[in-house]
Amino acid sequence: MVEQAEIRVVHQGGSNITFREPAISSDSRFLLCASGHNVKVFSTVTEECVQELRGHTDLVTGVLLRPSNHLQAYSCSADGTVRLWDFTDGILIKTYVIGYPICSIYASASHDGVIFIATPTKGYKTLDSLQLLAVHLPQTAGQLVETSDLSAVLSDVSANPATVAFGRAGEYVASTNGVQLQIFFFKKQKSFRFSLKENSCSGRRNTFTCVACHPTDDCIATGHEDGKIRLWRNFDQKREYTYRTLHWHHSTVRALCFTPEGSNLLSGGVESVLVQWRYQQESQQDFLPRLGAAITHIAVSPDGALFCTSHSDNKIVLIQSCVKVSSIIQGLVKGEAVQTDLMVDPRSKALVLNGKPGHLQFYSLQRDRLLFNLDVVQQEFIHQEGLDQFQVVMATLDGAGAWLATVEERKQETVEAELNLKLWAFDEPSQSFVLNTTVSTPHEVRITAVTFDPAARGQTSLLVSCGRDGLFKAWRLAPPAHPDDGGPSWTCDFVSGYHGLTPQRCCFSADGSLLAVGFQEVVTVWSPASWELLLTLSQPPGIIRDLCFGRLSCSKFLLGTTSSDQLCCWNLLTCSLEWSTSMEVSLLLADPLSDNMAAFCHQDGNTDLFVFKPSEPRPLFSQKAVCSGRVSRAVFAPREVALESCEESSQWLNRSQLYFLTPLMDLLTFSTRAEEERLMTASKQLVVDDSVAMTPFQLLLGKRRPHHQAAVEDPAVRPPAERPVPPGGSAAVRELLQSPAHVLPAAAALCSVFMEALLGVATETRENETSAGETPSDPEEEEEEDSDQEMETRATRPERGLLETDSADPVLSRAQVRELRRVRKLDHSWFSSLLDS
Amino acid sequence: MIQMGEFKVHRVRFFDYMPSAIRSMAFNSHTERLAVARADGAVEIFNFADNYFQEKVIAGRDGRSIEALCWVGRRLFSAGLEGEITEYDLENLRPRYSIEAYGGPIWTISSNSQGTLLAAGCEDGTVKMFEILEDRIQFQTNLSRQKGRIISLSWHPSGAQIAAGMMDMIKIFDSETGQATHRLLVDRGVGTSKSREVVVWSVAFLNDHTIISGDSAGKVQIWDGLTGTLISTHLVTKWDVLVLAISQDESSVIAGTSEGTVVQFQFLPSTVGQQDKFWVQTRTFKNHSHDVRALVHTDTAVVSGGMDTQLVVRPLLDKVEKNTQESALHKIAFPHRNLVSCAKKAGLLLFQFPDHLELWRLGESDRNGTPGESLPVKRKPEKLIQLKIKGEDHICCSALSPCGSWLAYATVAAVRLYRLQLSSSNVSIQKVSKLPRELKSVHQLCFSSDSCRLFASSSFSSVVVVALDQTDCKYLHTLKHKSGSKQPIHILSPSEDGQWLATANTDCEIHVFNLRKMKLHCSVPAYSSCPTAVSIHPTSGNLVSVHADQQIFEFSLKQKEYSVWSRQLQRQGLHPLWLQRDTPVTQITFNPNNPAHIMLHDVFMFCIIDQSLPLPEAKSKFYNQRILRSLPEPQRLRESHAFKACKNFQHLLSVNLLEDLSLVVVERPLVDIVCQLPAPVRQKLFAT
């Protein structure tokens, strides 16, 4: 996390949580998944994100439970490091520096101290040819460990991490690439290769897509592009190998997984159906259909009770014993492409964009959660490739968030596209949008733009739509023709064109008094009140791509970009071109809360950002290469609390935040350093507990809370300045004192806990006082105290003990600590019996 | 009619040949012979050591239905629903004797591995034991009688026990005492089929006392024969599992189903290197559209046959070398012998069906066209005679004389000769009533080119020569050779000039007789593979033979040695693509206009070998006729080689050159056969 610039581009929420296979903790309570540069730990019960493991500086490419310690997890990243985490408490234990970008990580129980990683073969820049390396993790002390003991296991490994699997307690590894299956036996150091024909007789492709190994038997299951699953046996022989073919999926098998006992095989693909095959009785299958989107990964908890499936719409579904969906963890839905503009719902401050096919999603940026999906198309979506189905191509919200307009279309090869314009009213009681009017075929041909009058409120709202048929239409809410017809609905109010040219863009001024419509090379400005053509502006050749009125102090300016790479600014008072500059602007945006404008420019395969005021020639802020590829969707989201940055270059971020989508559908934003620092401190204040919901009971009855609280703090990210301990004592005490009496248990039950909590606070404050300005209370020490709870983790302790002696001396002497512990364990029940009497 | 280069071609598609469904198969692993029983009662013997050549065909008979075949050493037994056990005389291609079992229809027979006892499962619920004697079989005992029919039988390799599949159950008998020791109850199907009895169509008793059964509920079940308990059940199909076959080493079992699939089970260890093994369902082969009624598991291949009449040899790729002749899939859909006789001078065709003969006159066209053009037909082909046989026995061979005035056919019982008189308007057929006594037990019939002799191959590889004149026929001579082979002659080929007669028998011998002196002229040096077609060149007097392994020899009858061309061909070797063809050459003809041309055909191609051109190199392109046509003249000469193959005609049953130098090509497209089959079992297809 090196900060050089004052403002940097960060992944802000909405990261892909289905990029790699998630891992379920051994007690089935937590789900770990790679999410952008972080690893997220979700509770499997409440679906909440309970931890975010931050530390990697590039995309996390794999998460894996440590086989020898079920409370720890490895994560690997393209930044060339493997990190070991204590995921319940969010502590980074070790960082192993590998030095090459890592594509995936594997481990097996029988290889202690060894992990397997897939990295690009030396000399190859692309991800086409990977090699599987065994990394011997050195047992040295210290946080940052350089690893040098690498040995190649397999070459020619596919970039898809699902194509490598370890079988029967790590006896062998199976890897597939193309139409070849490769099996390497570790003991015999022997490898076998089996090839299939490129195409089967019926011309379907035989390519391997995924592989899974049976946990106890020598049986390898492979998934194929044509939907077949093959169960390989006898693969320790060159010729007498054999396989059985199972065929249920009609298209590619994306994920395969054996349950831990090996009694079932799970498979999934684009059909969105989880199929459970009985091992040895493969003709019997169980199905869990209607999972919503194509399955990309399947993981099973170590006890086999919980399955989880990752889906292509950035969703993880948790399933209990293949019958019941128990919870759904939904990230920002990312389809093939976002066709609607990014919008911010003024009411919920949520980001609105395409979600599931035929839906609009409302995504809360602050909470990084999907709020809800609005079914716009209201038709069944068929999970099959190559079908033309209705898609939401445009959506717009009015200024108050009371109306939503959507355009859906179905492209067809032969006939003209089917179009529907739908208008939705916000319904206060149900807090959602309700369909008000459906206009089928609002324009003859495709619609190019729709926009609401931003100034109008409620009943007087005005919607303008432009179509390829050379017309733009204004729609108004009108009372029904007959009183029996129900409420008011939208009707066409005005239709006009300009010399038969195609309108490409339309834009209202901030007060709604002017409407600018770009007719190919001509900009026309209309008065929506009288529908009178006020003026026309023409400019250097090129078709208008984007139009935007300036805001606030710059509202006299109208800005436009053209296809001949010009950015023009007209002064509406003088009706003349104020200035123009030559740059390839792919997106022009106006900040609704300030007079700033943002222009994304596409240059040399990268996108540059310029933030400027139309009245000033010099840009406020510019950054080269914010991302690769062309940015075509961005939005200014108003901040809830304005920042008070005084630095000139970051002032434009004070009132709103700029979000944009990269071509790879990553949602990125700009953040200032001050903001990041605030975020860091905020994250430390988070009192994170297990998945159990925060109730007074839990707070009080949960054992030894203060220690957990201290252990949460991550030594890696801790800044030198130590936050003072809140004066109210421990949270438990505070909670006890603040909770209403009727929700508390009997005083007799509370007493010993209360006493214990007070004691705990006392020791903690003492520790903190003595070490003020220095490192905080040593996490290792806390862990040692925890260790009587975690008996299984003993194996890794000795080195930790060494480490402790090396690091800063504990302030309390051992004798003192022991004394403290003794006091804590004292039976305080006498006190409660006193109370009872 | 089509114009093809220098020839006018009669493209005949009116031969409605319909092979009959395969009901049962038995494989003799010592002699590598496969016996196939068809629904019309015919039995065919294929030699698996010799490119799957169909060596022998024993004609069927009305009302004979074979349910089971069984090899005992070199003896072949069959049993059927008419309740008789039949042993075949494989040298004279006829049933040797039949013994009534007196138990109603017989569903199955099985011999023990010692070859001493033959068990027959009967409709009345008895398993009847027959002792196999030197020259016959003799009823020995009945095992204890059960209720319900015995559908399938399998001996334990030790011969002490026998498992019988019945309705709803499997019984294990002690073969000494004849008492049932175990009763294994088989579950019925679920749903509506619950009320129907389940039929155990097939059982297999393995050496480790495992019993494997296939039943009408679609299950393959594995039982422990010692305790009589079920080990595992594999639901293989929604319909019936009709047949099971085990490999020799008992490590693999295949099951044939009504869906046309063959499912393999293998006895595999659960983890590498461990001893305890279990049966795992592995591969599925789908080579049939209809029921798989008969299955054989050879060491290297799965041989299956069923309602769709084709015999399929599917090599197991883990047992054979990849990309060799052995690893190719073989489908045998047509017989390896001629069912068509052609009268070259009269333009008549005789089609042989199991129970009747059809005589057709070819169409005519008076126009010449460009190559590839189809010509308008002036006179349509016309069916002149349909001759129904008398008696129950089916036709085993037939012949039409080149002049078109004689017609002969033979059944197992008798030979019949007819005299035809054809004029433009009326057709008369007259049976020749008095035939010489020597004409019996005939396997092959042939007329000489001047139509005044009839050759008939008889027992002990002898040939009976009969002289024909206007009214009657007279026995002339019996041609014999001294090699001592008793195998039947399957090819008779007289030379055009009437001097030579070449015979070939299934012992791979070719003998040439001098018809003027009525004695053996010479024997062609024996080759290991059976000749599939033999013919004598009309002018040079060379004998050309093609063998089942696709080798071609030319033998000079004058010098009594292989010709120079033949030696050169052997030295250089045949083109790999020629050797890879999987159907044998069934006919050789010569072009009188061009003595260097040898015309031969198999099911999928028609080839002219030009002896004046260089032989193809192994690397050169074999099927190059189309490319040659587009090349300029000098290059074409350089590129062309001796083998000119034509693949325009497919599923060829016969190719003949008429006297007017037009070709008669008899095709029987496989699609026409398939569409005459009954509808297969209904299967749910995805997205329907």
Side-chain angles (χ1 to χ4, degrees), chain B residues 608-650:
Chain B
I608 297 176
I609 299 177
D610 191 338
Q611 285 177 300
S612 62
L613 285 174
L615 294 168
E617 300 279 330
K619 276 171 280 176
S620 62
K621 204 164 160 54
F622 188 68
Y623 298 111
N624 60 356
Q625 291 302 305
R626 191 161 297 171
I627 297 166
L628 280 186
R629 229 171 287 150
S630 63
L631 289 178
E633 186 66 32
Q635 203 181 344
R636 193 189 309 177
L637 280 177
R638 229 178 311 127
E639 292 279 316
S640 57
H641 56 69
F643 286 78
K644 298 172 178 172
C646 160
K647 292 200 139 193
N648 291 15
F649 308 107
Q650 293 276 296

Short mmCIF file of all heavy atoms in Angstrom, two decimals, chain B residues 608-650:
data_model
loop_
_atom_site.label_atom_id
_atom_site.label_comp_id
_atom_site.label_asym_id
_atom_site.label_seq_id
_atom_site.Cartn_x
_atom_site.Cartn_y
_atom_site.Cartn_z
N ILE B 608 -10.54 -49.97 -60.68
CA ILE B 608 -9.93 -50.56 -61.87
C ILE B 608 -8.43 -50.53 -61.67
O ILE B 608 -7.86 -49.46 -61.43
CB ILE B 608 -10.31 -49.79 -63.14
CG1 ILE B 608 -11.81 -49.86 -63.36
CG2 ILE B 608 -9.57 -50.34 -64.35
CD1 ILE B 608 -12.30 -49.05 -64.51
N ILE B 609 -7.81 -51.72 -61.72
CA ILE B 609 -6.35 -51.75 -61.60
C ILE B 609 -5.79 -51.80 -63.01
O ILE B 609 -6.11 -52.71 -63.78
CB ILE B 609 -5.90 -52.98 -60.79
CG1 ILE B 609 -6.48 -52.90 -59.38
CG2 ILE B 609 -4.38 -53.06 -60.74
CD1 ILE B 609 -6.16 -54.11 -58.54
N ASP B 610 -5.00 -50.81 -63.33
CA ASP B 610 -4.37 -50.75 -64.64
C ASP B 610 -2.96 -51.29 -64.49
O ASP B 610 -2.09 -50.65 -63.90
CB ASP B 610 -4.36 -49.30 -65.13
CG ASP B 610 -3.96 -49.21 -66.59
OD1 ASP B 610 -3.31 -50.16 -67.08
OD2 ASP B 610 -4.30 -48.21 -67.22
N GLN B 611 -2.73 -52.49 -65.05
CA GLN B 611 -1.44 -53.13 -64.81
C GLN B 611 -0.32 -52.45 -65.58
O GLN B 611 0.85 -52.71 -65.34
CB GLN B 611 -1.52 -54.61 -65.20
CG GLN B 611 -2.29 -55.42 -64.18
CD GLN B 611 -2.43 -56.85 -64.60
OE1 GLN B 611 -2.99 -57.12 -65.66
NE2 GLN B 611 -1.91 -57.76 -63.80
N SER B 612 -0.69 -51.58 -66.54
CA SER B 612 0.36 -50.92 -67.31
C SER B 612 0.92 -49.70 -66.58
O SER B 612 1.95 -49.17 -66.96
CB SER B 612 -0.20 -50.49 -68.67
OG SER B 612 -1.24 -49.57 -68.46
N LEU B 613 0.23 -49.24 -65.55
CA LEU B 613 0.68 -48.04 -64.85
C LEU B 613 1.53 -48.43 -63.63
O LEU B 613 1.41 -49.55 -63.12
CB LEU B 613 -0.51 -47.22 -64.39
CG LEU B 613 -1.24 -46.44 -65.50
CD1 LEU B 613 -2.49 -45.79 -64.93
CD2 LEU B 613 -0.33 -45.41 -66.12
N PRO B 614 2.37 -47.51 -63.16
CA PRO B 614 3.19 -47.83 -61.97
C PRO B 614 2.31 -47.98 -60.74
O PRO B 614 1.23 -47.39 -60.63
CB PRO B 614 4.12 -46.62 -61.85
CG PRO B 614 3.42 -45.53 -62.56
CD PRO B 614 2.65 -46.17 -63.68
N LEU B 615 2.79 -48.76 -59.81
CA LEU B 615 2.04 -48.97 -58.57
C LEU B 615 2.17 -47.75 -57.67
O LEU B 615 3.18 -47.05 -57.72
CB LEU B 615 2.61 -50.21 -57.85
CG LEU B 615 2.39 -51.50 -58.60
CD1 LEU B 615 3.23 -52.60 -57.99
CD2 LEU B 615 0.93 -51.88 -58.58
N PRO B 616 1.17 -47.49 -56.84
CA PRO B 616 1.24 -46.28 -55.99
C PRO B 616 2.27 -46.44 -54.88
O PRO B 616 2.41 -47.51 -54.29
CB PRO B 616 -0.17 -46.17 -55.42
CG PRO B 616 -0.71 -47.55 -55.49
CD PRO B 616 -0.09 -48.22 -56.66
N GLU B 617 2.98 -45.35 -54.65
CA GLU B 617 3.89 -45.31 -53.50
C GLU B 617 3.05 -45.20 -52.23
O GLU B 617 1.91 -44.73 -52.25
CB GLU B 617 4.79 -44.08 -53.60
CG GLU B 617 5.65 -44.03 -54.84
CD GLU B 617 6.88 -44.89 -54.71
OE1 GLU B 617 7.34 -45.03 -53.56
OE2 GLU B 617 7.36 -45.42 -55.71
N ALA B 618 3.64 -45.60 -51.11
CA ALA B 618 2.90 -45.54 -49.84
C ALA B 618 2.55 -44.11 -49.47
O ALA B 618 1.56 -43.87 -48.80
CB ALA B 618 3.74 -46.18 -48.73
N LYS B 619 3.38 -43.16 -49.94
CA LYS B 619 3.14 -41.79 -49.53
C LYS B 619 2.19 -41.07 -50.48
O LYS B 619 1.63 -40.04 -50.14
CB LYS B 619 4.47 -41.02 -49.47
CG LYS B 619 5.20 -41.21 -48.15
CD LYS B 619 6.59 -40.62 -48.20
CE LYS B 619 7.52 -41.59 -48.92
NZ LYS B 619 8.87 -41.06 -49.09
N SER B 620 2.03 -41.61 -51.68
CA SER B 620 1.23 -40.88 -52.67
C SER B 620 -0.25 -40.96 -52.31
O SER B 620 -0.68 -41.79 -51.51
CB SER B 620 1.45 -41.48 -54.05
OG SER B 620 1.03 -42.81 -54.04
N LYS B 621 -1.00 -40.09 -52.92
CA LYS B 621 -2.42 -40.03 -52.64
C LYS B 621 -3.11 -41.18 -53.35
O LYS B 621 -2.89 -41.42 -54.53
CB LYS B 621 -2.97 -38.69 -53.14
CG LYS B 621 -4.22 -38.27 -52.44
CD LYS B 621 -4.49 -36.81 -52.67
CE LYS B 621 -5.94 -36.49 -52.40
NZ LYS B 621 -6.40 -36.93 -51.10
N PHE B 622 -3.92 -41.92 -52.60
CA PHE B 622 -4.50 -43.13 -53.19
C PHE B 622 -5.77 -42.81 -53.99
O PHE B 622 -5.87 -43.14 -55.16
CB PHE B 622 -4.82 -44.13 -52.07
CG PHE B 622 -5.25 -45.46 -52.59
CD1 PHE B 622 -4.34 -46.27 -53.25
CD2 PHE B 622 -6.55 -45.90 -52.46
CE1 PHE B 622 -4.72 -47.50 -53.73
CE2 PHE B 622 -6.93 -47.13 -52.94
CZ PHE B 622 -6.02 -47.93 -53.59
N TYR B 623 -6.70 -42.15 -53.34
CA TYR B 623 -7.96 -41.83 -54.03
C TYR B 623 -7.76 -40.50 -54.77
O TYR B 623 -8.06 -39.44 -54.25
CB TYR B 623 -9.10 -41.72 -53.03
CG TYR B 623 -9.35 -43.00 -52.30
CD1 TYR B 623 -9.07 -43.12 -50.95
CD2 TYR B 623 -9.88 -44.10 -52.96
CE1 TYR B 623 -9.29 -44.31 -50.28
CE2 TYR B 623 -10.11 -45.28 -52.30
CZ TYR B 623 -9.82 -45.39 -50.96
OH TYR B 623 -10.05 -46.56 -50.30
N ASN B 624 -7.18 -40.58 -55.97
CA ASN B 624 -6.76 -39.34 -56.61
C ASN B 624 -7.52 -39.06 -57.90
O ASN B 624 -7.11 -38.21 -58.68
CB ASN B 624 -5.25 -39.35 -56.89
CG ASN B 624 -4.87 -40.50 -57.80
OD1 ASN B 624 -5.72 -41.31 -58.15
ND2 ASN B 624 -3.62 -40.56 -58.17
N GLN B 625 -8.60 -39.77 -58.17
CA GLN B 625 -9.25 -39.60 -59.46
C GLN B 625 -9.76 -38.18 -59.66
O GLN B 625 -9.64 -37.60 -60.74
CB GLN B 625 -10.40 -40.59 -59.61
CG GLN B 625 -9.95 -42.02 -59.73
CD GLN B 625 -9.02 -42.22 -60.91
OE1 GLN B 625 -9.37 -41.90 -62.04
NE2 GLN B 625 -7.84 -42.70 -60.66
N ARG B 626 -10.32 -37.60 -58.61
CA ARG B 626 -10.88 -36.28 -58.76
C ARG B 626 -9.80 -35.23 -58.99
O ARG B 626 -9.95 -34.34 -59.81
CB ARG B 626 -11.68 -35.93 -57.50
CG ARG B 626 -12.52 -34.71 -57.64
CD ARG B 626 -13.59 -34.66 -56.60
NE ARG B 626 -14.52 -35.77 -56.73
CZ ARG B 626 -15.46 -36.06 -55.83
NH1 ARG B 626 -15.56 -35.32 -54.76
NH2 ARG B 626 -16.27 -37.07 -56.00
N ILE B 627 -8.68 -35.38 -58.28
CA ILE B 627 -7.59 -34.42 -58.45
C ILE B 627 -6.99 -34.56 -59.85
O ILE B 627 -6.70 -33.56 -60.51
CB ILE B 627 -6.51 -34.66 -57.38
CG1 ILE B 627 -7.12 -34.41 -56.01
CG2 ILE B 627 -5.31 -33.77 -57.59
CD1 ILE B 627 -6.28 -34.92 -54.87
N LEU B 628 -6.86 -35.81 -60.29
CA LEU B 628 -6.24 -36.03 -61.59
C LEU B 628 -6.99 -35.31 -62.70
O LEU B 628 -6.41 -34.78 -63.61
CB LEU B 628 -6.21 -37.53 -61.90
CG LEU B 628 -5.12 -38.34 -61.24
CD1 LEU B 628 -5.14 -39.76 -61.74
CD2 LEU B 628 -3.76 -37.71 -61.49
N ARG B 629 -8.32 -35.30 -62.56
CA ARG B 629 -9.12 -34.71 -63.60
C ARG B 629 -8.81 -33.22 -63.76
O ARG B 629 -8.92 -32.67 -64.84
CB ARG B 629 -10.61 -34.90 -63.28
CG ARG B 629 -11.39 -35.45 -64.44
CD ARG B 629 -12.79 -35.84 -64.00
NE ARG B 629 -12.81 -37.02 -63.18
CZ ARG B 629 -13.72 -37.24 -62.23
NH1 ARG B 629 -14.64 -36.33 -61.97
NH2 ARG B 629 -13.69 -38.35 -61.54
N SER B 630 -8.42 -32.58 -62.67
CA SER B 630 -8.19 -31.14 -62.76
C SER B 630 -6.77 -30.80 -63.18
O SER B 630 -6.46 -29.64 -63.41
CB SER B 630 -8.50 -30.52 -61.39
OG SER B 630 -7.59 -31.04 -60.44
N LEU B 631 -5.91 -31.81 -63.27
CA LEU B 631 -4.51 -31.51 -63.59
C LEU B 631 -4.30 -31.43 -65.10
O LEU B 631 -5.04 -32.05 -65.86
CB LEU B 631 -3.60 -32.62 -63.02
CG LEU B 631 -3.47 -32.66 -61.51
CD1 LEU B 631 -2.59 -33.83 -61.11
CD2 LEU B 631 -2.89 -31.37 -60.99
N PRO B 632 -3.29 -30.70 -65.55
CA PRO B 632 -2.94 -30.71 -66.96
C PRO B 632 -2.35 -32.06 -67.36
O PRO B 632 -1.88 -32.82 -66.53
CB PRO B 632 -1.92 -29.58 -67.09
CG PRO B 632 -1.38 -29.37 -65.71
CD PRO B 632 -2.48 -29.75 -64.78
N GLU B 633 -2.38 -32.31 -68.66
CA GLU B 633 -2.09 -33.64 -69.19
C GLU B 633 -0.75 -34.23 -68.72
O GLU B 633 -0.72 -35.34 -68.19
CB GLU B 633 -2.16 -33.58 -70.72
CG GLU B 633 -2.01 -34.92 -71.41
CD GLU B 633 -3.17 -35.86 -71.13
OE1 GLU B 633 -4.30 -35.36 -70.94
OE2 GLU B 633 -2.94 -37.08 -71.07
N PRO B 634 0.40 -33.52 -68.89
CA PRO B 634 1.68 -34.16 -68.53
C PRO B 634 1.76 -34.50 -67.04
O PRO B 634 2.24 -35.57 -66.66
CB PRO B 634 2.73 -33.12 -68.91
CG PRO B 634 2.00 -31.86 -69.13
CD PRO B 634 0.57 -32.17 -69.41
N GLN B 635 1.22 -33.59 -66.24
CA GLN B 635 1.29 -33.83 -64.80
C GLN B 635 0.38 -34.99 -64.43
O GLN B 635 0.69 -35.77 -63.52
CB GLN B 635 0.86 -32.56 -64.08
CG GLN B 635 1.42 -32.50 -62.67
CD GLN B 635 0.96 -31.24 -61.96
OE1 GLN B 635 0.48 -30.30 -62.60
NE2 GLN B 635 1.12 -31.22 -60.67
N ARG B 636 -0.73 -35.10 -65.14
CA ARG B 636 -1.68 -36.17 -64.84
C ARG B 636 -1.03 -37.53 -65.06
O ARG B 636 -1.19 -38.45 -64.29
CB ARG B 636 -2.90 -36.02 -65.73
CG ARG B 636 -4.06 -36.88 -65.29
CD ARG B 636 -5.19 -36.91 -66.28
NE ARG B 636 -5.61 -35.57 -66.67
CZ ARG B 636 -6.55 -35.36 -67.59
NH1 ARG B 636 -7.12 -36.39 -68.19
NH2 ARG B 636 -6.89 -34.14 -67.91
N LEU B 637 -0.24 -37.61 -66.12
CA LEU B 637 0.44 -38.87 -66.40
C LEU B 637 1.41 -39.23 -65.29
O LEU B 637 1.54 -40.38 -64.89
CB LEU B 637 1.18 -38.76 -67.73
CG LEU B 637 0.29 -38.94 -68.96
CD1 LEU B 637 1.09 -38.74 -70.22
CD2 LEU B 637 -0.37 -40.31 -68.95
N ARG B 638 2.07 -38.19 -64.80
CA ARG B 638 3.06 -38.44 -63.77
C ARG B 638 2.39 -38.87 -62.45
O ARG B 638 2.88 -39.70 -61.73
CB ARG B 638 3.88 -37.16 -63.52
CG ARG B 638 5.37 -37.41 -63.52
CD ARG B 638 6.15 -36.11 -63.32
NE ARG B 638 5.70 -35.04 -64.19
CZ ARG B 638 5.34 -33.83 -63.75
NH1 ARG B 638 5.36 -33.56 -62.46
NH2 ARG B 638 4.97 -32.90 -64.60
N GLU B 639 1.26 -38.25 -62.18
CA GLU B 639 0.60 -38.48 -60.89
C GLU B 639 -0.20 -39.78 -60.85
O GLU B 639 -0.44 -40.32 -59.78
CB GLU B 639 -0.35 -37.32 -60.56
CG GLU B 639 0.36 -36.00 -60.28
CD GLU B 639 0.88 -35.94 -58.86
OE1 GLU B 639 0.13 -36.32 -57.96
OE2 GLU B 639 2.05 -35.55 -58.67
N SER B 640 -0.64 -40.25 -62.00
CA SER B 640 -1.59 -41.37 -61.97
C SER B 640 -0.86 -42.66 -61.62
O SER B 640 0.32 -42.84 -61.89
CB SER B 640 -2.27 -41.50 -63.33
OG SER B 640 -1.30 -41.66 -64.31
N HIS B 641 -1.59 -43.55 -60.98
CA HIS B 641 -1.03 -44.84 -60.61
C HIS B 641 -2.02 -45.93 -60.96
O HIS B 641 -3.13 -45.66 -61.46
CB HIS B 641 -0.62 -44.86 -59.15
CG HIS B 641 -1.72 -44.51 -58.21
ND1 HIS B 641 -2.79 -45.33 -57.99
CD2 HIS B 641 -1.91 -43.42 -57.43
CE1 HIS B 641 -3.59 -44.77 -57.12
NE2 HIS B 641 -3.10 -43.60 -56.76
N ALA B 642 -1.67 -47.16 -60.65
CA ALA B 642 -2.42 -48.31 -61.16
C ALA B 642 -3.82 -48.42 -60.57
O ALA B 642 -4.71 -48.95 -61.22
CB ALA B 642 -1.63 -49.58 -60.87
N PHE B 643 -4.03 -47.93 -59.35
CA PHE B 643 -5.32 -48.13 -58.70
C PHE B 643 -6.22 -46.94 -58.96
O PHE B 643 -5.98 -45.85 -58.46
CB PHE B 643 -5.13 -48.33 -57.19
CG PHE B 643 -4.56 -49.67 -56.84
CD1 PHE B 643 -3.19 -49.90 -56.99
CD2 PHE B 643 -5.35 -50.68 -56.36
CE1 PHE B 643 -2.66 -51.13 -56.68
CE2 PHE B 643 -4.82 -51.91 -56.04
CZ PHE B 643 -3.47 -52.14 -56.20
N LYS B 644 -7.25 -47.18 -59.77
CA LYS B 644 -8.20 -46.10 -60.06
C LYS B 644 -9.48 -46.42 -59.34
O LYS B 644 -10.27 -47.25 -59.78
CB LYS B 644 -8.44 -45.99 -61.56
CG LYS B 644 -7.19 -45.64 -62.33
CD LYS B 644 -7.45 -45.74 -63.80
CE LYS B 644 -6.21 -45.35 -64.58
NZ LYS B 644 -6.41 -45.61 -66.01
N ALA B 645 -9.67 -45.78 -58.20
CA ALA B 645 -10.82 -46.11 -57.36
C ALA B 645 -11.95 -45.12 -57.61
O ALA B 645 -11.71 -43.94 -57.85
CB ALA B 645 -10.43 -46.07 -55.89
N CYS B 646 -13.15 -45.63 -57.58
CA CYS B 646 -14.32 -44.80 -57.79
C CYS B 646 -15.25 -45.01 -56.61
O CYS B 646 -15.62 -46.14 -56.30
CB CYS B 646 -15.00 -45.21 -59.10
SG CYS B 646 -16.70 -44.72 -59.21
N LYS B 647 -15.56 -43.92 -55.93
CA LYS B 647 -16.42 -44.05 -54.75
C LYS B 647 -17.79 -43.46 -55.00
O LYS B 647 -18.53 -43.16 -54.06
CB LYS B 647 -15.75 -43.34 -53.55
CG LYS B 647 -14.50 -44.04 -53.09
CD LYS B 647 -14.16 -43.65 -51.68
CE LYS B 647 -13.70 -44.83 -50.88
NZ LYS B 647 -13.64 -44.60 -49.46
N ASN B 648 -18.15 -43.29 -56.26
CA ASN B 648 -19.46 -42.72 -56.57
C ASN B 648 -20.60 -43.63 -56.13
O ASN B 648 -21.67 -43.17 -55.83
CB ASN B 648 -19.61 -42.49 -58.07
CG ASN B 648 -18.71 -41.38 -58.54
OD1 ASN B 648 -17.80 -41.00 -57.81
ND2 ASN B 648 -18.95 -40.87 -59.72
N PHE B 649 -20.32 -44.91 -56.15
CA PHE B 649 -21.37 -45.85 -55.78
C PHE B 649 -21.04 -46.41 -54.40
O PHE B 649 -19.91 -46.77 -54.12
CB PHE B 649 -21.46 -46.99 -56.80
CG PHE B 649 -21.56 -46.48 -58.21
CD1 PHE B 649 -20.49 -46.58 -59.09
CD2 PHE B 649 -22.73 -45.89 -58.65
CE1 PHE B 649 -20.59 -46.09 -60.36
CE2 PHE B 649 -22.83 -45.40 -59.94
CZ PHE B 649 -21.76 -45.49 -60.81
N GLN B 650 -22.04 -46.46 -53.55
CA GLN B 650 -21.82 -46.94 -52.19
C GLN B 650 -22.74 -48.12 -51.94
O GLN B 650 -23.80 -48.25 -52.58
CB GLN B 650 -22.13 -45.83 -51.18
CG GLN B 650 -21.15 -44.68 -51.25
CD GLN B 650 -19.90 -44.92 -50.44
OE1 GLN B 650 -19.94 -45.05 -49.24
NE2 GLN B 650 -18.77 -45.02 -51.11
#
